[in-house]
Each structure stands twice: as structure tokens, then as C-alpha cells.
Amino acid sequence: MKRNLIAVAVGCVLVAALALPAQAADIVDEWTNVKAPAAPTLKEVKVDPKTTALLMLDFMNQNCGKRPRCIATLPAMKKLLDAARAAKMPVVYSLIANTTAADVMKEVAPQAGEPSVLSGPDKFRNTDLEKILKDKGIQTVIVVGTAANGAVLNTASQAALMGLNVIIPVDGISGDPYAEQYTAWHMLHAPGLGAKTTLTRSDMIKF
């Protein structure tokens, strides 16, 4: 009798287990099947140099100088930088640990009087970047630099969450290709960021 009861109990457990829905796949299970979203539409944008600042993030010999994709951005970024300066737009640089402004890539090196801040990926953290921008009446920032998923993503996100308009020229951000793609997608789709973000190319920015 006892054996029959045990057999019945085991049978019930097996039936119940078979009746349970299969465990849903997680993102790692689905990784190779996830399709990349459609490329975003880049927009031409006109900026007011009096209320816009160009943020040149981490264009250092120590990192950019060792990243081919960053080096490839320099000619376009020099043109953008020259145009911003010609329009008398404020330019702010960021540096990485154990560097000075003298370590910025020579193609886009700062000029006398252009401020710099030193921080980790978020250039607002423990720096006076927010004060620099507020003191100049800045409402919009153009964010370029490396790495796309480091300084660009974190600083641009914080700027948007602070209420600033954020312009990202995709030819001015660098990392590995997936990081660049993710950064562009994130800035347009993350809560609180998309409404403040415009993706463009440097030659689509008009002063």
C-alpha cells in the first residue's frame, strides 16, 4: 500500500512538473538572435554659439592615440573645433587621470583660456563643469570624444538629465563599433534622454 502511495505521489509531481511552462529565455540565451534596430535618422542642427558649448572629451595621447577609430575622428573634429572657435563658442576639455592639457592630441589641442576638467566617465562628477556651463549661460552642449560608452555616454546622459540639450555628432565619438552603436541608441531611447538628444554629423551642424 505504501509503495502504491509513493508511486502515486511521484506521478503527481512529474505531471505537475510537465505542466509548468518552460522557463523564458533571457537576453543571453537570445543574444545571437537579437536584431539590431534600424539606424537612427541624423538631423541637421543650427546652434546659437552664445548658449552652446563644445565638450571635447578625453582626446588624450594616452587613450585616443592608441585607438584607430578615435584617431580617425580627428580631422572632422578639428574642423568642428575650428568652426566653434571662429563662432566664439565656449570649448571645454576633459582629461583623464595622470594627464594634463599638454597630453591632448595635438590636432585638437586646447588654446589658452579654454578650461578643462579631470574626472572619470562622468565629467560632471567631482568637477566644476556644471558651474563652468552655468556661468556662461549654456543651454546646449555638443559632446564628442572617446570612449563612446564611457565619457560620451555618461557625460551626455548627465547633461540631458540636468536639462541641457545634447547634440552628438556620430563622427566624433569612438570606441569599438558596438559601443558606438549602443551609445547612439541609448541616447535616443533611454528615459529622460531621448527628448533632449539630437544625433547628427559634424558637417550638419550650422553656427
Side-chain angles (χ1 to χ4, degrees):
M1 181 67 177
K2 187 179 290 186
R3 288 183 179 178
N4 289 339
L5 290 174
I6 292 174
V8 170
V10 171
C12 289
V13 170
L14 290 173
V15 170
L18 291 172
L20 291 174
Q23 184 176 358
D26 58 39
I27 188 57
V28 173
D29 292 329
E30 298 174 338
W31 199 275
T32 58
N33 296 322
V34 175
K35 183 179 179 181
T41 300
L42 302 182
K43 298 180 179 180
E44 193 167 286
V45 59
K46 184 173 177 59
V47 299
D48 180 356
K50 295 179 180 178
T51 59
T52 304
L54 174 61
L55 305 186
M56 301 285 291
L57 305 183
D58 295 0
F59 284 102
M60 315 301 297
N61 287 301
Q62 291 85 342
N63 58 359
C64 180
K66 298 177 181 179
R67 299 172 182 169
R69 291 181 72 86
C70 184
I71 293 171
T73 69
L74 294 177
M77 291 306 93
K78 184 180 187 308
K79 289 181 181 179
L80 178 63
L81 181 59
D82 289 346
R85 287 169 172 162
K88 301 188 184 307
M89 177 185 293
V91 179
V92 183
Y93 283 79
S94 76
L95 315 176
I96 61 174
N98 303 313
T99 67
T100 70
D103 293 308
V104 176
M105 300 288 289
K106 64 180 178 13
E107 294 89 341
V108 292
Q111 293 184 347
E114 292 176 339
S116 62
V117 298
L118 192 157
S119 186
D122 177 1
K123 302 306 176 180
F124 288 97
R125 183 176 174 82
N126 298 326
T127 73
D128 58 355
L129 178 57
E130 182 176 3
K131 183 179 186 302
I132 291 171
L133 298 178
K134 282 186 175 180
D135 287 351
K136 295 180 181 297
I138 299 303
Q139 300 172 14
T140 300
V141 288
I142 302 171
V143 183
V144 296
T146 193
N149 58 326
V152 173
L153 178 61
N154 286 277
T155 306
S157 295
Q158 183 59 28
L161 293 172
M162 289 168 50
L164 295 171
N165 298 309
V166 177
I167 298 170
I168 300 180
V170 295
D171 57 334
I173 66 174
S174 59
D176 66 69
Y178 181 76
E180 294 174 23
Q181 185 180 61
Y182 170 74
T183 298
W185 184 91
H186 181 92
M187 290 303 302
L188 286 184
H189 294 91
L193 305 185
K196 304 296 291 184
T197 300
T198 300
L199 293 186
T200 187
R201 285 197 180 93
S202 59
D203 60 2
M204 297 171 71
I205 300 174
K206 309 302 178 186
F207 297 90

